[in-house]
Amino acid sequence: MKKIAFLVLMSLSLFACKKGEEKIEEPKPLLSEDKMVDVLYDVNMLQSMQSFKPKTLADNKVDPVTYVYNKYDIDSATFAENHIYYASQLDVYERIHKRVSERVKKEKEAIEEILEAEAKADSIEKAKEEEIKIKDLKPAP
């Protein structure tokens, strides 16, 4: 993940050093916007996992960098060149990042709904158990 972050920072640094309004050439191969959204989404998720649940990645022997490159059949140069290309088109770049953010938000909401449903089911189960205990404590008539 550090390699990806380094490549992104280097890419943006190189882009920032460009003089004037030079147009960045389209990379070969060019990743579609949809594919770039998918790649950045996975990078985002893997970075989050690496920050909050690194053991999960280690236990499953997942190297985030290798995982992303293999999943999308790209290499570091392809990723960096496409990142520079899209970053040079601010409106497209913002649209891509907005889509990634919306996808993360949607995923988070879905997970929260599942957790809420599980918590509700647990509380109902506990209430039933308490009811059974109370009935067991009452003397028989």
Side-chain angles (χ1 to χ4, degrees), residues 46 49 53-64 66-67:
L46 289 166
M49 285 179 71
K53 295 277 190 176
K55 192 172 180 337
T56 303
L57 293 174
D59 289 349
N60 291 295
K61 295 179 173 72
V62 174
D63 173 42
T66 305
Y67 174 83

Side-chain angles (χ1 to χ4, degrees), residues 4-101:
I4 290 177
F6 177 74
L7 284 171
V8 169
L9 288 175
M10 289 303 296
S11 301
L12 292 175
S13 296
L14 290 172
F15 171 69
C17 293
K18 292 280 186 181
K19 293 181 180 179
E21 293 291 320
E22 277 185 51
K23 183 170 168 76
I24 303 294
E25 286 187 36
E26 189 176 287
K28 301 279 190 249
L30 175 65
L31 302 178
S32 69
E33 279 187 48
D34 290 340
K35 192 168 186 176
M36 197 68 182
V37 168
D38 292 340
V39 170
L40 291 175
Y41 173 80
D42 282 350
V43 167
N44 184 301
M45 291 291 105
L46 289 166
Q47 284 178 336
S48 296
M49 285 179 71
Q50 200 164 32
S51 295
F52 297 105
K53 295 277 190 176
K55 192 172 180 337
T56 303
L57 293 174
D59 289 349
N60 291 295
K61 295 179 173 72
V62 174
D63 173 42
V65 175
T66 305
Y67 174 83
V68 170
Y69 293 159
N70 289 339
K71 181 176 179 180
Y72 295 101
D73 193 27
I74 60 174
D75 58 22
S76 59
T78 301
F79 176 74
E81 289 168 359
N82 276 271
H83 203 265
I84 291 170
Y85 176 74
Y86 283 119
S88 72
Q89 303 174 43
L90 190 55
D91 56 331
V92 176
Y93 196 64
E94 285 178 348
R95 184 171 58 235
I96 288 171
H97 278 280
K98 183 177 180 185
R99 288 177 58 196
V100 171
S101 294

Side-chain angles (χ1 to χ4, degrees), residues 75-134:
D75 58 22
S76 59
T78 301
F79 176 74
E81 289 168 359
N82 276 271
H83 203 265
I84 291 170
Y85 176 74
Y86 283 119
S88 72
Q89 303 174 43
L90 190 55
D91 56 331
V92 176
Y93 196 64
E94 285 178 348
R95 184 171 58 235
I96 288 171
H97 278 280
K98 183 177 180 185
R99 288 177 58 196
V100 171
S101 294
E102 288 170 354
R103 190 166 162 191
V104 169
K105 182 180 177 184
K106 189 175 181 180
E107 186 77 18
K108 180 182 175 203
E109 289 170 353
I111 291 169
E112 287 173 346
E113 285 179 19
I114 291 169
L115 293 175
E116 287 175 18
E118 287 175 355
K120 186 175 180 179
D122 286 347
S123 66
I124 291 171
E125 186 63 33
K126 285 180 184 178
K128 287 180 181 178
E129 288 173 7
E130 289 297 318
E131 187 178 325
I132 291 170
K133 286 180 186 177
I134 292 171

